[in-house]
Amino acid sequence: MGRESRQRRRAPSYADVARAAGVSQTTVSFVLNERTDIPLLATTRERVLSAARDLGYRRNSLARSLVHGRTQTIGMLVPQLDSSFSAAIAQGVQEGLESEDYRVLLGHARHDATVEARQVELFLEHRVDGIIAVTDEFTIEHLEDWLQELLMQNTPCVLVDDSSFCGRADCVVSDDFHGVRQVVEHLSSLGHRRIAHLAGGGRVSSGRDRLAAFQSAAEDAGIASEVVVVPSSGYVLTPWNSRVRELMGRSPAPTALFCANDTVAAEALDALDEMGIRVPGDVSVVGYAGFEVGRALKLTSVNQHPQEMGRVAARRLLDRIGNRDLPPQLFTLPVELEPRRTSAQAPN
Amino acid sequence: MGRESRQRRRAPSYADVARAAGVSQTTVSFVLNERTDIPLLATTRERVLSAARDLGYRRNSLARSLVHGRTQTIGMLVPQLDSSFSAAIAQGVQEGLESEDYRVLLGHARHDATVEARQVELFLEHRVDGIIAVTDEFTIEHLEDWLQELLMQNTPCVLVDDSSFCGRADCVVSDDFHGVRQVVEHLSSLGHRRIAHLAGGGRVSSGRDRLAAFQSAAEDAGIASEVVVVPSSGYVLTPWNSRVRELMGRSPAPTALFCANDTVAAEALDALDEMGIRVPGDVSVVGYAGFEVGRALKLTSVNQHPQEMGRVAARRLLDRIGNRDLPPQLFTLPVELEPRRTSAQAPN
DNA sequence: GTGAAAGCGCTAACAA
DNA sequence: TTGTTAGCGCTTTCAC
């Protein structure tokens, strides 16, 4: 048990197996890859297999990839993992890939465009077969920089949660238009007219889409003149608490708050609680795209299906890897309003 | 623009750069790897660099890894990503790796031991430099199968969230002993004696530790004879709702519920709400290790730091990759009770 | 200062 | 039915 024994010894290679079985490397390759197109003596097959087993042979996918020019690996870029949204997408991607044997390289951009670009670079150095990128409000403006290059060199690529590039790359998004519309119709049918929309960021397409959908739905409901939009603060964290206080101090105050996402909704609920305003008695609150949080708070909210988005993205990426000439496509996944406890008939 | 142009053309290699610069591949290698130990004419350096730039050369890490016998890649095994716990660990791992340029291969076991083993196999075929595995109640019994092999071949490996193997492998866990103790002391200091513990699974070490800690803390608080432990159902989803109903129907009923995790706590809150029992007026509820959910519900709970666990695991793995002879170590990270709105003075 | 050549572990023509 | 050989893109020893 000298120091040697603690080193990881070189893993056995075809050469070792070949020597042990008394055949050539080619034969080893044929046997271990189960090449049915090649006729092989059952006895040689056996000899090779048992030699491989005895030596504890394990295929080396690096060498394989080098030869094939294909890594059976995709890169998955996420803005952050500790958000249930990205995490669910990541989970869906893995599920979509599961049947094929594909590996996933994970790149975590932590909302930083430089890190993001570096991760893409690492993916490319690794010669991934394709990339799935979950877009991010904070880096979307720099997406073009690297996406451009991917498209030029025709590297398969699917963008999730933003449709800005839908003519040039595959995109998978939620149907925010109908999601928002359902919210407005829900509130409107409960008699709400003074609806305030605490809006998300306008940089990512989903933010813009939701805002546009809100306004269009308000018009169709004939309440466009009474709704109010509270924009987010752009690059700094929005102080929703004070916004809500200001909003509810108006007269007439809104009877419903439609929040851009469930985190905002949670903050709004806190503010209302502090002000002694009852939900849904005095004011209704609707969230958007929350998972655990929305459910835990029994928040009326729009359910998105991030896991499904991930699955769709993965399937599409595989298709595109198979045929790089597919035209770019936009996948719009349905969402649905789930009324829970925070919305009710408008007061008065 | 024939079909050719749509194919991904072979990426430029050293051979191409060498030809363009009129030097040998060796020189290209020296220049592009910034080998300061090799004396090189500034002019050749320039020629090589500009040729590389012109051709859009990008290093091929597969080939590199093959030569070096090192991939600068680690495998990260998670039971599932759509739980904020694993996701936060994953995030921490990435952060811990960030300074070095390491890649992360993601393996998602979806609570299935077969899938898990397969992912480990994929990691090994990819010749990862090490593995970080987040343990899982549902597969822990089969962990031994593959861990054994990793240890034998001395592949660096760090286990997160279970200490069962702490003598044989590096483990990173939360200090559940003190976490639970803080809960019992908190409740006890509020006058609670009849505390019910809705326990987690006993398969993973953290489950067992929490239970043991609960009982020991109850003894120290002199309330051991009054506490009650409600075990989970083992392999099926525990119907906590009915358990809580049964529990609160007893006489005397407990005045505090200590839940194994925040999801259980959320279910308990629902059940209590349905029964018209007020929290924390009639009964206090304490959760454990929740993040978004616990915070959103304003649940008194014990905060763990999964992100920090991931960081520690990553640092340790890097250390061990650097020196495989380190003795296995157990890292126990602090946790702290955060009293929020669901715990209060015991009634009467 | 720079290059030729061998080799990392595998695959695939082409021979035999 | 199996072996020989070249080559994937890179690093490195050893010459020049």
Side-chain angles (χ1 to χ4, degrees):
Chain A
M1 284 292 173
R3 352 181 48 222
E4 295 308 282
S5 73
R6 303 245 15 113
Q7 297 310 309
R8 183 152 63 156
R9 43 181 170 288
R10 193 180 56 72
S13 67
Y14 276 7
D16 302 309
V17 178
R19 202 170 313 119
V23 298
S24 74
Q25 294 196 32
T26 313
T27 306
V28 175
S29 174
F30 290 161
V31 172
L32 296 186
N33 289 317
E34 297 171 327
R35 294 270 305 249
T36 47
D37 52 329
I38 309 271
L40 282 170
L41 237 42
T43 61
T44 27
R45 235 183 68 85
E46 274 315 317
R47 279 219 314 288
V48 170
L49 286 175
S50 77
R53 217 177 303 114
D54 294 350
L55 292 170
Y57 174 80
R58 172 171 290 128
R59 76 172 9 147
N60 183 328
S61 57
L62 294 174
R64 232 154 178 272
S65 299
L66 192 58
V67 173
H68 280 131
R70 229 170 171 267
T71 49
Q72 296 291 114
T73 304
I74 69 139
M76 179 168 67
L77 196 63
V78 296
Q80 62 173 0
L81 269 171
D82 58 355
S83 107
S84 41
F85 184 69
S86 329
I89 291 175
Q91 167 123 359
V93 167
Q94 291 261 353
E95 287 174 13
L97 254 33
E98 208 146 75
S99 51
E100 332 286 320
D101 86 343
Y102 258 87
R103 269 166 285 267
V104 174
L105 264 180
L106 184 64
H108 165 228
R110 12 161 271 230
H111 303 304
D112 180 326
T114 315
V115 177
E116 185 174 279
R118 173 72 190 137
Q119 297 289 353
V120 172
E121 182 61 28
L122 281 178
F123 288 164
L124 294 175
E125 290 183 358
H126 209 116
R127 301 296 190 263
V128 296
D129 295 340
I131 292 179
I132 292 178
V134 179
T135 58
D136 173 16
E137 177 168 23
F138 296 93
T139 60
I140 186 105
E141 290 166 353
H142 299 274
L143 182 62
E144 181 84 38
D145 301 349
W146 53 264
L147 183 61
Q148 178 61 30
E149 195 186 345
L150 291 192
L151 296 176
M152 290 246 314
Q153 65 187 51
N154 205 18
T155 300
C157 180
V158 179
L159 300 176
V160 182
D161 205 34
D162 186 283
S163 60
S164 317
F165 299 88
C166 72
R168 297 160 56 201
D170 293 316
C171 297
V172 180
V173 298
S174 286
D175 190 352
D176 284 323
F177 186 80
H178 284 103
V180 170
R181 193 153 272 268
Q182 285 175 64
V183 170
V184 174
E185 283 166 3
H186 170 69
L187 289 173
S188 161
S189 76
L190 287 170
H192 294 275
R193 302 183 64 83
R194 292 193 304 282
I195 303 174
H197 178 34
L198 312 192
R203 271 161 283 159
V204 83
S205 74
S206 62
R208 295 191 300 274
D209 289 353
R210 287 178 203 174
L211 184 54
F214 177 70
Q215 279 157 336
S216 118
E219 294 207 0
D220 292 357
I223 55 174
S225 61
E226 293 168 75
V227 303
V228 32
V229 171
V230 185
S232 75
S233 303
Y235 285 92
V236 298
L237 225 59
T238 308
W240 289 114
N241 190 299
S242 59
R243 297 267 162 108
V244 170
R245 288 174 170 273
E246 186 274 323
L247 198 59
M248 298 310 295
R250 297 188 192 178
S251 128
T255 64
L257 264 38
F258 167 33
C259 306
N261 62 58
D262 279 10
T263 317
V264 174
E267 282 190 57
L269 287 178
D270 279 357
L272 294 171
D273 188 46
E274 290 167 14
M275 297 176 77
I277 299 175
R278 317 243 285 196
V279 174
D282 302 325
V283 61
S284 288
V285 175
V286 179
Y288 204 96
F291 313 101
E292 296 156 311
V293 171
R295 213 149 294 163
L297 290 174
K298 309 212 179 302
L299 199 64
T300 293
S301 187
V302 173
N303 291 332
Q304 281 188 166
H305 303 287
Q307 206 158 329
E308 182 62 18
M309 294 173 82
R311 259 194 300 266
V312 169
R315 302 310 308 179
R316 177 58 175 186
L317 190 66
L318 293 180
D319 285 350
R320 180 169 290 286
I321 289 170
N323 174 8
R324 307 179 112 80
D325 292 329
L326 296 171
Q329 192 173 329
L330 174 65
F331 298 82
T332 306
L333 276 65
V335 300
E336 64 275 340
L337 176 78
E338 186 174 338
R340 285 185 281 234
R341 296 223 191 129
T342 57
S343 58
Q345 203 72 33
N348 301 347
Chain B
M1 283 294 171
R3 349 182 51 222
E4 295 307 283
S5 72
R6 303 246 14 115
Q7 298 309 308
R8 182 153 64 158
R9 41 180 171 290
R10 192 180 57 69
S13 68
Y14 275 8
D16 302 310
V17 178
R19 201 169 315 118
V23 298
S24 74
Q25 295 196 32
T26 313
T27 305
V28 175
S29 174
F30 289 161
V31 172
L32 295 186
N33 289 315
E34 297 172 326
R35 295 269 306 248
T36 47
D37 54 328
I38 310 272
L40 282 170
L41 237 42
T43 62
T44 28
R45 234 183 68 84
E46 274 314 317
R47 280 219 314 287
V48 170
L49 286 176
S50 78
R53 217 177 305 114
D54 294 350
L55 292 170
Y57 174 80
R58 171 172 290 128
R59 77 175 6 148
N60 183 327
S61 58
L62 294 174
R64 229 152 181 273
S65 300
L66 191 58
V67 174
H68 280 133
R70 227 170 173 264
T71 50
Q72 296 290 113
T73 304
I74 69 139
M76 180 168 67
L77 196 63
V78 296
Q80 62 173 357
L81 269 171
D82 57 356
S83 106
S84 41
F85 185 70
S86 328
I89 292 175
Q91 167 124 358
V93 167
Q94 292 260 353
E95 287 173 13
L97 254 32
E98 209 146 77
S99 51
E100 333 284 321
D101 83 347
Y102 259 86
R103 270 166 283 266
V104 174
L105 265 179
L106 183 64
H108 166 228
R110 13 160 272 229
H111 304 302
D112 180 325
T114 315
V115 177
E116 185 174 279
R118 172 74 189 135
Q119 297 289 353
V120 172
E121 181 61 27
L122 281 178
F123 288 163
L124 295 175
E125 290 183 357
H126 212 274
R127 300 297 190 265
V128 295
D129 295 339
I131 292 178
I132 292 178
V134 180
T135 58
D136 173 18
E137 176 167 24
F138 297 93
T139 61
I140 186 105
E141 289 165 353
H142 299 274
L143 182 63
E144 181 83 39
D145 302 349
W146 53 264
L147 183 62
Q148 178 62 29
E149 196 187 344
L150 291 192
L151 295 176
M152 290 247 313
Q153 64 187 52
N154 203 20
T155 300
C157 180
V158 178
L159 301 176
V160 181
D161 206 34
D162 187 283
S163 61
S164 318
F165 299 89
C166 71
R168 297 160 56 202
D170 294 315
C171 297
V172 180
V173 298
S174 285
D175 190 351
D176 283 324
F177 186 80
H178 285 104
V180 171
R181 192 153 273 266
Q182 286 175 63
V183 171
V184 174
E185 284 166 3
H186 170 70
L187 289 173
S188 161
S189 76
L190 287 170
H192 294 275
R193 301 183 64 83
R194 293 193 304 282
I195 303 174
H197 178 34
L198 312 192
R203 270 161 285 159
V204 82
S205 73
S206 61
R208 296 191 299 275
D209 290 353
R210 287 179 203 175
L211 185 54
F214 177 70
Q215 278 157 335
S216 119
E219 294 207 358
D220 292 357
I223 55 174
S225 62
E226 293 168 76
V227 302
V228 33
V229 171
V230 185
S232 76
S233 304
Y235 286 93
V236 296
L237 224 59
T238 308
W240 289 114
N241 190 299
S242 59
R243 295 267 163 107
V244 170
R245 288 173 170 276
E246 187 275 322
L247 198 59
M248 298 310 296
R250 296 189 192 176
S251 129
T255 63
L257 265 38
F258 168 32
C259 307
N261 61 58
D262 280 10
T263 318
V264 174
E267 282 191 56
L269 287 178
D270 278 357
L272 294 171
D273 187 47
E274 290 168 13
M275 298 175 76
I277 298 174
R278 315 243 284 195
V279 175
D282 302 326
V283 60
S284 289
V285 174
V286 178
Y288 203 96
F291 313 100
E292 294 156 313
V293 171
R295 212 148 298 163
L297 290 174
K298 309 213 178 302
L299 200 63
T300 292
S301 187
V302 173
N303 292 333
Q304 282 188 165
H305 302 286
Q307 207 157 328
E308 182 62 18
M309 295 173 81
R311 259 193 300 264
V312 169
R315 302 311 308 181
R316 177 59 174 187
L317 189 67
L318 292 180
D319 286 348
R320 180 170 290 287
I321 289 170
N323 173 9
R324 309 176 111 80
D325 292 330
L326 296 171
Q329 192 172 330
L330 174 65
F331 298 82
T332 307
L333 275 64
V335 300
E336 64 276 339
L337 176 77
E338 185 174 340
R340 283 183 282 235
R341 297 225 191 126
T342 57
S343 58
Q345 203 71 32
N348 302 347

